[in-house]
Amino acid sequence: MTMMMKGTRMALLAAASSLALASVAAAQDTIRFWTTEEQPERLALQEAMAAEFTEASGISVEVIPVTESDLGTRATAAFAAGDLPDVIYHPLQYALPWAEAGILDIDAATDVIEELGAETFAPGALNMASMEDGFASVPVDGWTQMIVYRADLFEENGLEPPTTYANVLAAIEALHNPPEMFGFVAATKVDENFMSQVLEHVFLANGVSPVGPDGVQPLDEAATTEVLEFYAAIVEASPDGELFWQQSRELYFAGRAAMIIWSPFILDELAGLRDSAPPTITDDPTSGELASRTGIVTNFAGPSNPDGAAWADIRYFGITADANTDAAMAFVEYSMAEGYTQTLAIAPEGKFPIRRGTADNPTAFTDAWAQLDVGVDRRAPLGDLYAQEMIDEIVGGLDVAQRWGVAEGQLALASRIVNSQVINRLVREYMDGVRDAAATVALMNEELARIE
């Protein structure tokens, strides 16, 4: 960052602190902020936070909702027309491609992260936006997929938490007793994105990826065979049928599943806060009893990857090439500092704090997030519903967050692989006995090699 730029932004923030607003307002134009959080109640919260920033800095913010499925085409068109907004809240998939295309200002994002303190961010989320010259965007929030499990049954049976393939299989051996209790409820419905997410999580856990720095790479036969055999085992411990998120939640809520894989959006439902998805393990659909019996695992490891991985969905603030740079940086800094708790409050159950705190108080934002209300028909803070070790595990997944293709700069290719559902289909055929593991791996490599 040039000294002039840094001095300008620091002056803006100093002006906010001293309430010397008039001179700042006179010097600044309105900035435009695109957000994919377009639901009315979420939009209202963002507008309220933007209004507080305006009051503090004198910089006006126009909050513009954009449907996520339209975001890529709108950004490309705006870039061609030289009419990009100043800041875009965007998913992981756009960070590196937009930076490489010149849509995003890498220097501005990197300066914001350095100003706030890179050490205050979850390293996994930062690494996903890392480039040779800095960071494509500023990580804002995210969530990690979880293994949700009956911690009470694990404790009663002397079982270790399901942090590894081996621990999951040991728990299935001890707890699988159908139809009263299924050891697992695995995803088997090939055309559901849920199966794609679960499988990517299981592959990542064993260090297996279909992409490398140069594009599609052959799957390692030994490690992929371990994945296939593990997945076959958890499917064997599942009910029959075409299973996806609905059955896994229903069976767990009924007390008939020892383990499932789900997103954190289950956390408020698990605690009896949503009437449309109540726990049925007791006669009281508003009871938090099942939540009290539940544990979660975010970082999951296979035998070929003892460090494990967490599958994550991360969101970012991108400062664009057309931005009023200092004003945009000031807005992003505010949104990640004074306004960060409000940023997370938009949907706390799915917006884990990527910035944990400040240099002076390293857990400030994690602590504040745990006290934000979640739920629909009833509301309560996550910190009141779950023990501190659960909160720590929820947030800790972002430290090791991964996705296929991110580290290799091949996220777009990885997305095409996922969307092709080749892996879903061939894993399902393996489970159905169509071909053995070696033939399945060979056919996966053959079919994946055709994807460009």
Side-chain angles (χ1 to χ4, degrees):
M1 178 190 343
T2 66
M3 290 301 295
M4 182 177 294
M5 287 174 63
K6 184 168 184 177
T8 303
R9 195 173 78 265
M10 290 181 68
L12 290 175
L13 297 175
S17 301
S18 65
L19 300 179
L21 306 179
S23 62
V24 179
Q28 297 299 328
D29 296 325
T30 296
I31 63 170
R32 292 179 297 155
F33 169 47
W34 283 6
T35 176
T36 55
E37 296 286 13
E38 58 180 341
Q39 299 93 326
E41 64 278 5
R42 296 187 182 189
L43 201 57
L45 287 169
Q46 292 168 96
E47 289 170 340
M49 192 270 288
E52 292 188 12
F53 168 72
T54 299
E55 184 177 350
S57 68
I59 304 169
S60 297
V61 181
E62 183 182 0
V63 181
I64 302 169
V66 178
T67 300
E68 187 166 316
S69 59
D70 297 336
L71 188 60
T73 54
R74 284 193 60 174
T76 301
F79 180 50
D83 190 35
L84 286 165
D86 299 86
V87 179
I88 305 176
Y89 176 77
H90 64 82
L92 167 66
Q93 68 200 65
Y94 294 119
L96 299 181
W98 279 358
E100 290 166 357
I103 291 174
L104 298 179
D105 185 336
I106 302 169
D107 291 339
T110 303
D111 286 347
V112 167
I113 290 167
E114 290 177 351
E115 183 74 23
L116 294 171
E119 72 283 357
T120 66
F121 288 81
L126 265 186
N127 291 340
M128 285 189 176
S130 179
M131 304 184 72
E132 186 177 348
D133 299 325
F135 299 97
S137 301
V138 180
V140 182
D141 59 69
W143 56 267
T144 51
Q145 200 156 243
M146 311 179 306
I147 297 179
V148 180
Y149 70 100
R150 284 289 299 275
D152 58 334
L153 299 181
F154 273 63
E155 185 174 350
E156 288 171 13
N157 288 272
L159 297 166
E160 293 296 317
T163 55
T164 65
Y165 281 17
N167 289 358
V168 168
L169 297 177
I172 287 173
E173 180 68 24
L175 302 176
H176 183 58
N177 183 32
E180 289 81 16
M181 176 66 70
F182 292 96
F184 216 101
V185 186
T188 58
K189 195 171 189 303
V190 170
D191 59 353
E192 275 279 339
N193 190 50
F194 181 69
M195 185 173 180
S196 300
Q197 290 185 7
V198 170
L199 275 176
E200 186 176 343
H201 190 174
V202 174
F203 272 72
L204 282 169
N206 206 37
V208 179
S209 173
V211 296
D214 299 321
V216 175
Q217 67 178 6
L219 298 169
D220 179 83
E221 183 177 335
T224 307
T225 297
E226 290 171 342
V227 173
L228 292 172
E229 291 175 347
F230 171 77
Y231 208 77
I234 65 174
V235 169
E236 182 67 24
S238 303
D240 294 332
E242 302 284 301
L243 307 176
F244 55 104
W245 58 265
Q246 182 177 346
Q247 296 92 339
S248 60
R249 182 177 67 184
E250 287 174 352
L251 285 161
Y252 190 82
F253 279 12
R256 296 179 57 207
M259 294 172 281
I260 61 174
I261 292 179
W262 240 81
S263 80
F265 293 96
I266 201 172
L267 293 172
D268 58 339
E269 302 166 347
L270 188 62
L273 302 180
R274 184 188 294 258
D275 290 341
S276 62
T280 56
I281 192 171
T282 70
D283 293 333
D284 179 6
T286 69
S287 170
E289 182 174 339
L290 184 57
S292 71
R293 300 185 192 182
T294 292
I296 63 163
V297 165
T298 52
N299 190 37
F300 183 48
S304 292
N305 184 38
D307 290 339
W311 186 99
D313 180 51
I314 310 293
R315 304 291 162 137
Y316 295 82
F317 282 138
I319 299 169
T320 75
D322 295 340
N324 179 339
T325 306
D326 283 305
M329 290 170 70
F331 174 67
V332 172
E333 287 187 17
Y334 182 91
S335 301
M336 297 298 299
E338 296 93 329
Y340 192 41
T341 301
Q342 289 172 274
T343 299
L344 300 173
I346 295 168
E349 66 277 13
K351 292 183 176 292
F352 300 173
I354 279 175
R355 189 171 185 233
R356 304 296 166 70
T358 65
D360 294 334
N361 185 352
T363 64
F365 299 126
T366 299
D367 295 342
W369 169 79
Q371 295 307 310
L372 294 172
D373 282 351
V374 298
V376 176
D377 301 289
R378 288 157 296 283
R379 297 185 65 79
L382 281 172
D384 289 356
L385 303 173
Y386 298 102
Q388 185 60 47
E389 58 266 26
M390 281 268 283
I391 299 296
D392 293 341
E393 177 71 20
I394 289 169
V395 175
L398 293 171
D399 289 343
V400 291
Q402 291 186 35
R403 289 279 286 279
W404 280 341
V406 173
E408 300 83 5
Q410 296 285 350
L411 182 60
L413 173 60
S415 297
R416 291 194 292 276
I417 288 171
V418 170
N419 293 338
S420 75
Q421 297 178 336
V422 166
I423 292 177
N424 294 16
R425 173 170 52 81
L426 294 180
V427 168
R428 178 60 193 261
E429 289 177 2
Y430 166 76
M431 294 185 301
D432 291 342
V434 174
R435 61 187 65 83
D436 65 15
T440 299
V441 176
L443 187 54
M444 278 185 183
N445 284 332
E446 181 182 324
E447 294 205 21
L448 292 172
R450 300 192 191 108
I451 299 174
E452 298 179 349

